[in-house]
Each structure stands twice: as C-alpha cells, then as structure tokens.
Amino acid sequence: MPSTVAICQFRPTASRADNRARIAELTSDAAARGARLVVFPEYSSFFVDPMDATLAENSETLEGDFVQGLRRTASAHDVTIIAGLVESAGERVRNTLVAVDGTGLRAVYRKQHLYDAFGQTESDWIEAGALDEPQTFDIDGLRVAMMTCYDLRFPEVARTLVDAGADVIVVPAEWVRGALKEHHWTTLLAARAIENTVYVVAADHPTPIGVGHSQIIDPQGVVIAGVGTEEGIAVAEISADAVARVREVNPVLRLRRYRVIPR
C-alpha cells in the first residue's frame, strides 16, 4: 500500500523547548496533509553555530525530554517522527537520529562520518557512532533506514543500509552552505537513490546556515517533492510497489559483483 512521507525544513535554535514546540506544530501540519512518516533535520533538539560547550550542556539521553516529546506528538497524530538529537556521551556528545512513534523508540542511528571538512571540525565536540548493524523499521510495507548529513558522501553507508533491506533511506542534515555545496547536496541525494534503487528522504536546515533544498527522491532519482531555501513542508506518496518495479527493470542490486564486507 502507498504511504505518505513529509519533510519538515526548519531552523532549530538554542532553545530546546522552542524546538520541541516547533516540531509539534510542523508535525500537526504534516499529519493534516496525510503524512505517516515525518522527517526533521539533524540537530533538531538543539543547535548553535558555531558549535561550543553548550552542546554537552544541552544534550539529552534517549529517555529525555526530546524523545518523550516526540513520542507524545507522534501518538497524538498517529505518525512516526525522525529527528536529530544531541545525545549525551560524557564530555562530548553523539549526533544521533531517533525514529519515534506513539509506543516509543523504533530505531536509533549515530552519525558515523563526522564533518571534519571544508574548514569545519565536528569531531571537536562529537563522538562518532560505532559501525553497528543498521537499525531499520517498517511502515506501510516499506523498510526505512537512516543516515546523517556528511555520511551522504560515503556510498558504502547507503549500500550497507540497502543490504539490511532498506527501501527508504532518510537523511536528516545540516548541510552547511559553501561553494558548490547545493550542487553536491542535490547530486549526492540523487546518486544514492539511483545506485540503490531506493527512495531518499532528506531534510535540511534552511538558509543562511544550511542550503535548504530538502527533497523526497524516488528510486529513479527523480525529485517528487521538495522545499526551497526557507522553512517549509513537502509531502509525497511513496510505495513498495514502485521500488519493486524499478528493481525489476534495473536490477543493479542483484547484478553487482562487489559486496560490502563487515568490519
């Protein structure tokens, strides 16, 4: 059966309470438009630019206010929410994605490739996630998996998720603006969809810090819904049947000769 997914491009701040309230508001709007899965950006729980010690001061556990607020919001609207959490990890923090429905956590992903590039050093504040087996969950016959922002530049991350059965790869991000960065973002999103014959559902921060251009991309690399550079919501229908049809005519996963070797 088809399902409806929404991407919510919004601007997280240094107020955790304001972020939770904004997520609840946007989720209500997305659910009213039929969304069953609602996706928010990286660092949705708390964000400062430049990063500093307040990240650790405002980090939370998986049992904290942010996840509990997502659970209540998801329950109120009968949806699953994916959003970025600054997770407690001692002196540093983890850049974590959580998938939450009315019953609680459905999946967790911790960013594996930290953004130590283009003059940034995310590793000064963030602890990289372990290379664990992917956590996935099902919604309306589609298997969903997650990765974060800079992970998009590493094709093996997406391929590992597809090897775990993913039909949909969700990519919350804070894709920092810079020379050609919009081009890199949109090109890599389409590439991950095409080479893996999956939907890619990506939610970014709006300008001026992020590039915006949150997108929902089908298994042939076609953008079927998107947002520009400001805050906004985009909604699209996705289906397991569409994934199956593309894989029937373009069986790249079956025909490939290389395999990801677990470390």
Side-chain angles (χ1 to χ4, degrees), residues 93-106:
V93 300
R94 296 187 184 96
N95 186 336
T96 300
L97 302 178
V98 291
V100 180
D101 67 8
T103 67
L105 279 171
R106 300 195 67 185

Side-chain angles (χ1 to χ4, degrees), residues 53-65:
T54 61
L55 279 175
E57 295 166 6
N58 287 276
S59 64
E60 302 183 31
T61 68
L62 296 177
E63 295 76 36
D65 291 341

Side-chain angles (χ1 to χ4, degrees), residues 42-43 51 92-96 109-117 120-129 148-151 153-154:
E42 179 183 24
Y43 292 115
M51 292 181 181
R92 296 197 290 175
V93 300
R94 296 187 184 96
N95 186 336
T96 300
Y109 177 85
R110 297 179 175 97
K111 188 175 186 178
Q112 295 178 353
H113 297 90
L114 301 183
Y115 186 54
D116 288 0
Q120 307 285 324
T121 52
E122 190 178 34
S123 63
D124 285 348
W125 310 102
I126 309 294
E127 176 183 292
T148 314
C149 198
Y150 195 57
D151 287 325
R153 292 184 180 271
F154 299 85

Side-chain angles (χ1 to χ4, degrees), residues 144-171:
V144 181
M146 303 178 287
M147 64 178 177
T148 314
C149 198
Y150 195 57
D151 287 325
L152 184 64
R153 292 184 180 271
F154 299 85
E156 58 270 26
V157 179
R159 185 51 59 88
T160 301
L161 300 179
V162 172
D163 282 347
D167 305 300
V168 182
I169 297 177
V170 174
V171 190

Side-chain angles (χ1 to χ4, degrees), residues 1-5 34-37 139-142 168 199 224 236-243 245:
M1 63 178 288
S3 188
T4 301
V5 61
R36 297 268 295 134
L37 175 64
I139 187 166
D140 297 333
L142 290 152
V168 182
Y199 288 98
I224 55 177
E237 188 175 90
I238 63 177
S239 74
D241 286 346
V243 175
R245 286 195 300 270

Side-chain angles (χ1 to χ4, degrees), residues 189-198 200 218-222 250 252:
L189 290 174
R192 298 296 87 85
I194 294 166
E195 69 199 8
N196 292 294
T197 55
V198 293
V200 171
D218 79 5
Q220 297 193 85
V222 177
N250 183 24
V252 291

Side-chain angles (χ1 to χ4, degrees), residues 12-258:
T13 70
S15 170
R16 288 183 288 162
D18 286 352
N19 293 336
R20 292 195 301 270
R22 184 70 173 129
I23 287 170
E25 177 185 7
L26 290 167
T27 299
S28 177
D29 290 348
R33 297 169 63 178
R36 297 268 295 134
L37 175 64
V38 186
V39 178
F40 290 89
E42 179 183 24
Y43 292 115
S44 284
S45 70
F46 179 83
F47 183 69
V48 287
D49 180 59
M51 292 181 181
D52 58 28
T54 61
L55 279 175
E57 295 166 6
N58 287 276
S59 64
E60 302 183 31
T61 68
L62 296 177
E63 295 76 36
D65 291 341
F66 184 71
V67 172
Q68 292 307 311
L70 294 184
R71 182 188 60 78
R72 289 190 294 271
T73 298
S75 178
H77 299 288
D78 191 25
V79 298
T80 299
I81 300 172
I82 293 177
L85 165 70
V86 180
E87 184 190 5
S88 302
E91 293 183 1
R92 296 197 290 175
V93 300
R94 296 187 184 96
N95 186 336
T96 300
L97 302 178
V98 291
V100 180
D101 67 8
T103 67
L105 279 171
R106 300 195 67 185
V108 176
Y109 177 85
R110 297 179 175 97
K111 188 175 186 178
Q112 295 178 353
H113 297 90
L114 301 183
Y115 186 54
D116 288 0
F118 299 96
Q120 307 285 324
T121 52
E122 190 178 34
S123 63
D124 285 348
W125 310 102
I126 309 294
E127 176 183 292
L131 302 182
D132 296 328
E133 288 297 313
Q135 293 188 24
T136 65
F137 65 93
D138 293 343
I139 187 166
D140 297 333
L142 290 152
R143 181 152 295 176
V144 181
M146 303 178 287
M147 64 178 177
T148 314
C149 198
Y150 195 57
D151 287 325
L152 184 64
R153 292 184 180 271
F154 299 85
E156 58 270 26
V157 179
R159 185 51 59 88
T160 301
L161 300 179
V162 172
D163 282 347
D167 305 300
V168 182
I169 297 177
V170 174
V171 190
E174 199 289 288
W175 197 268
V176 179
R177 294 184 74 193
L180 296 176
K181 294 295 290 300
E182 291 92 341
H183 172 63
H184 291 184
W185 169 245
T186 55
T187 299
L188 291 168
L189 290 174
R192 298 296 87 85
I194 294 166
E195 69 199 8
N196 292 294
T197 55
V198 293
Y199 288 98
V200 171
V201 178
D204 191 24
H205 290 216
T207 57
I209 298 175
V211 301
H213 297 293
S214 298
Q215 297 181 343
I216 303 169
I217 301 171
D218 79 5
Q220 297 193 85
V222 177
V223 177
I224 55 177
V227 184
T229 58
E230 299 300 322
E231 290 194 334
I233 299 174
V235 174
E237 188 175 90
I238 63 177
S239 74
D241 286 346
V243 175
R245 286 195 300 270
V246 172
R247 290 180 177 175
E248 178 66 25
V249 298
N250 183 24
V252 291
L253 300 179
R254 177 169 55 82
L255 295 177
R256 66 189 167 117
R257 299 177 65 190
Y258 290 89

